[in-house]
Amino acid sequence: MDPITNVAEITGSLAPIAFGIATIGPAIGVGIVVGKTVESVARQPELQGRLTGLMFLGIAFTEALAFVAIAVAFIPFP
């Protein structure tokens, strides 16, 4: 087999691998956001409502990175 055929076979299966690797970052980010929110509520329970709203906003921004990773993983590169 020539090297070009081998590269073509490999690149066909890189999109799911790229998506799996790209979701590691947002997963770590969400874990940090939720952990810090729990820590903050433990320190000041009276701010639970405001902190929960900010937590969901942070999770939404962090998960946007995962959606970008989905889109980029399926872009065909020559």
Side-chain angles (χ1 to χ4, degrees):
M1 292 192 135
D2 62 1
I4 295 174
T5 305
N6 290 339
V7 170
E9 290 176 5
I10 292 172
T11 57
S13 62
L14 287 183
I17 294 171
F19 174 66
I21 292 172
T23 56
I24 293 172
I28 292 171
V30 167
I32 291 171
V33 168
V34 173
K36 292 295 183 179
T37 302
V38 169
E39 183 180 325
S40 299
V41 170
R43 291 175 185 255
Q44 293 184 337
E46 65 273 6
L47 294 177
Q48 180 181 4
R50 294 179 77 189
L51 291 172
T52 303
L54 288 172
M55 177 189 72
F56 287 130
L57 185 64
I59 288 173
F61 285 138
T62 306
E63 286 298 320
L65 295 173
F67 294 134
V68 169
I70 292 171
V72 171
F74 292 108
I75 294 175
F77 292 107

